[in-house]
Amino acid sequence: LATCNLPYTSRLVKTLLYNFIRQERSPPPGTHVFQQQTDGGGLLYGIASGVATGLWTVFTLGGVGSKATPQLEQCSPLANQSLLLLLVLANLTDAPDTPNPYRQAIMSFKNTQDSSAFSSSHPHVFQINFNSLYTALCEQQKSDQATLLLYMLLHQNGNVRTYVLARTDIENLVLPILEILYHVEERNSHHVYMALIILLILTEDDGFNRSIHEVILKNITWYAERVLTEISLGSLLILVVIRTIQYNMTRTRDKYLHTNCLAALANMSAQFRSLHQYAAQRIISLFSLLSKKHNKVLEQATQSLRGSLDSNDSPLPDYAQDLNVIEEVIRMMLEIINSCLTNSLHHNPNLVYALLYKRDLFEQFRTHPSFQDIMQNIDLVISFFSSRLEHAGAELSVERVLEIIKQGAVALPKDRLRKFPELKFKYVEEEQPEEFFIPYVWSLVYNAAVALYWNPRDIQLFTMDSG
């Protein structure tokens, strides 16, 4: 890792990235890698051809005890091996006096279209075609390692992040990430975390949060709960994130997952535009689910307290902690709804409609000390629009209600809505990220590397089911 080797370090990183970008297929068995010369070639050609064909055979057929991975059947083994090697090198720990040069190279490479001069303070800088890299990243997100590379580039390389956020076809990248989250039951938890953190990083940018509501998608076939013939990318993102929260509430109960999902929704909330009616319904349905859970925990706490008063020998379960967690999540959901109402109410009649339809849900939180302040705005909006609907008469059609809401949104006195600090969350890596990433990367190598045999009895870095 000496400084004198920096040019070679950058060249290696660049080569590994280009191997990933090219996704070169292995030649069919028996194919000559080098075209034979008409004079018969000679000894050098024979050796080179033999070595190259031999390497492809190792890549294609695997070695003793290697594990066949279904996802590799459709992709390039050379690209896969290069990507795994790149991830291993990038996650080497820093030397006491020298930062990891492979990570430095990944952090600082630039687009071939970037004509700005290289800084002497960044000896690792090289150029690569960002358009080709973006295309490869969009196409390869089904694998953990491609998602992990995307995370590293967005998190560590400002040039890549700026380029990605400026793309006008951002849906090509976001849709595969949403599919990972949608099929949460089939993915390992690490892959889901990476996908979610990528969304969180993207939602830190206001331009992204605006543009996703302008991208209209047709017929999302993989979304099975409801036929979505036409929906904005923003509304679909909200639907998938809410579905992930609900899955987590009923299955894994992972607070880290909850926090990141809610942070992504919060970052987007001020920029919600023309929410699909189903997305608006799901936001309120999630709040309904949370309020039921809140009531259930309260009831259990009360019953448990009565039981402990009757018999002193039974320990009291820690319902206070459960209640605290659920109230934090409810508070966050109220802040997300409030953020949308105060910043873009006139753009979201469907959310106001869903709010009015389920207005009774919010009644119990009006006087609750934890939610009183945030409920003021929501209560004002509910009262204002409820009054206008009452004046319009009974038996109103959905279309008529939406029309009244749109008219009312213009008339609502905005100065009566209390201002709250902007909801903004930023992703920050844990204090010792290597404790997560190094075992994760090596589990990917173990599970996905072709032709490499690892004795499972000697593995101490990760458990066998962590890949």
Side-chain angles (χ1 to χ4, degrees):
L1 299 180
T3 308
C4 60
N5 290 327
L6 288 178
Y8 299 105
T9 302
S10 297
R11 199 174 299 172
L12 174 59
V13 170
K14 184 175 183 176
T15 303
L16 294 174
L17 276 172
Y18 264 126
N19 285 346
F20 167 70
I21 287 168
R22 288 187 186 111
Q23 293 293 318
E24 192 177 344
R25 305 279 172 173
S26 55
T31 305
H32 287 293
V33 177
F34 300 111
Q35 189 175 352
Q36 283 182 307
Q37 296 171 7
T38 51
D39 61 357
L43 180 63
L44 186 61
Y45 161 76
I47 292 172
S49 177
V51 170
T53 308
L55 282 172
W56 272 118
T57 305
V58 170
F59 277 138
T60 312
L61 301 180
V64 178
S66 66
K67 300 166 292 303
T69 309
Q71 70 188 33
L72 297 178
E73 291 170 6
Q74 278 78 41
C75 67
S76 161
L78 177 62
N80 182 62
Q81 298 291 65
S82 297
L83 178 52
L84 290 170
L85 177 56
L86 183 63
L87 293 175
V88 167
L89 293 172
N91 284 282
L92 292 173
T93 49
D94 297 335
D97 54 347
T98 314
N100 176 351
Y102 301 104
R103 190 182 303 129
Q104 296 293 308
I106 284 173
M107 288 170 69
S108 52
F109 72 82
K110 298 161 68 172
N111 193 358
T112 47
Q113 306 299 311
D114 188 346
S115 56
S116 61
F118 286 0
S119 167
S120 57
S121 61
H122 290 288
H124 314 83
V125 175
F126 61 89
Q127 288 181 302
I128 208 162
N129 187 311
F130 277 17
N131 184 53
S132 302
L133 178 60
Y134 180 80
T135 303
L137 287 167
C138 292
E139 291 172 352
Q140 301 301 321
Q141 286 307 306
K142 284 184 180 174
S143 76
D144 281 64
Q145 46 268 41
T147 305
L148 185 49
L149 175 65
L150 175 58
Y151 158 76
M152 282 171 49
L153 295 177
L154 287 175
H155 178 54
Q156 298 176 4
N157 189 312
N159 301 321
V160 173
R161 185 167 59 252
T162 301
Y163 176 85
V164 167
L165 289 166
R167 291 287 301 209
T168 55
D169 60 347
I170 194 71
E171 68 273 16
N172 290 341
L173 188 69
V174 175
L175 282 172
I177 298 299
L178 294 183
E179 273 200 75
I180 294 166
L181 291 175
Y182 185 79
H183 298 293
V184 59
E185 302 94 335
E186 300 161 26
R187 303 287 175 190
N188 68 68
S189 59
H190 287 17
H191 200 183
V192 171
Y193 282 151
M194 288 298 100
L196 194 51
I197 291 167
I198 286 166
L199 284 186
L200 180 54
I201 291 170
L202 293 173
T203 62
E204 289 171 18
D205 182 77
D206 281 342
F208 172 84
N209 295 332
R210 279 191 299 272
S211 66
I212 54 174
H213 294 289
E214 294 164 8
V215 177
I216 304 301
L217 307 166
K218 309 275 188 182
N219 300 318
I220 307 300
T221 53
W222 49 262
Y223 193 93
E225 277 86 344
R226 179 166 172 156
V227 176
L228 299 175
T229 52
E230 188 172 291
I231 190 169
S232 71
L233 180 61
S235 287
L236 182 64
L237 198 158
I238 292 164
L239 284 175
V240 173
V241 170
I242 285 175
R243 185 179 183 275
T244 308
I245 294 172
Q246 290 181 322
Y247 174 82
N248 187 44
M249 280 174 66
T250 54
R251 308 282 183 86
T252 52
R253 299 186 182 183
D254 184 331
K255 190 180 176 184
Y256 182 81
L257 203 67
H258 259 11
T259 304
N260 284 287
C261 284
L262 290 165
L265 286 177
N267 282 348
M268 295 165 61
S269 59
Q271 305 289 341
F272 284 170
R273 292 288 185 278
S274 305
L275 287 184
H276 191 281
Q277 63 178 64
Y278 186 52
Q281 285 169 20
R282 298 311 295 159
I283 290 170
I284 305 302
S285 294
L286 175 58
F287 186 79
S288 172
L289 194 66
L290 289 166
S291 63
K292 284 174 188 170
K293 197 172 177 64
H294 178 263
N295 294 341
K296 188 178 177 183
V297 172
L298 264 178
E299 190 183 325
Q300 286 172 333
T302 307
Q303 288 174 352
S304 183
L305 185 61
R306 283 188 193 133
S308 68
L309 291 172
D310 295 338
S311 60
N312 296 323
D313 55 347
S314 57
L316 188 66
D318 191 4
Y319 285 112
Q321 188 180 350
D322 287 351
L323 203 58
N324 187 45
V325 169
I326 197 76
E327 287 187 356
E328 275 180 27
V329 178
I330 286 174
R331 170 85 194 184
M332 190 78 154
M333 280 303 297
L334 288 171
E335 287 179 346
I336 288 166
I337 294 167
N338 176 66
S339 172
C340 177
L341 296 178
T342 53
N343 289 286
S344 54
L345 181 143
H346 57 294
H347 289 297
N348 292 291
N350 283 327
L351 183 65
V352 177
Y353 183 97
L355 194 66
L356 293 171
Y357 190 70
K358 293 281 189 180
R359 71 192 88 174
D360 295 347
L361 278 176
F362 299 88
E363 193 65 39
Q364 62 176 307
F365 300 110
R366 287 174 68 187
T367 55
H368 194 292
S370 299
F371 312 119
Q372 237 174 343
D373 59 336
I374 203 81
M375 274 302 301
Q376 286 177 21
N377 284 346
I378 296 171
D379 200 30
L380 187 147
V381 169
I382 289 172
S383 300
F384 177 82
F385 284 100
S386 295
S387 171
R388 291 181 79 91
L389 289 173
E390 282 169 19
H391 283 113
E395 304 296 325
L396 299 172
S397 67
V398 173
E399 290 75 20
R400 179 64 184 137
V401 171
L402 284 170
E403 192 183 318
I404 292 165
I405 289 170
K406 287 172 187 173
Q407 291 166 354
V410 180
L412 179 72
K414 303 290 188 295
D415 56 334
R416 288 177 59 194
L417 294 172
R418 180 179 165 184
K419 289 288 180 192
F420 284 86
E422 189 183 13
L423 282 183
K424 274 294 170 190
F425 293 86
K426 190 172 174 61
Y427 169 71
V428 180
E429 266 190 354
E430 296 289 333
E431 221 169 278
Q432 293 177 299
E434 65 277 3
E435 290 180 4
F436 172 85
F437 287 105
I438 292 175
Y440 181 29
V441 168
W442 279 104
S443 70
L444 294 179
V445 171
Y446 176 81
N447 286 301
V450 179
L452 293 174
Y453 173 71
W454 309 90
N455 188 338
R457 286 176 296 184
D458 293 337
I459 292 172
Q460 298 175 12
L461 189 61
F462 57 89
T463 56
M464 293 300 291
D465 60 351
S466 68

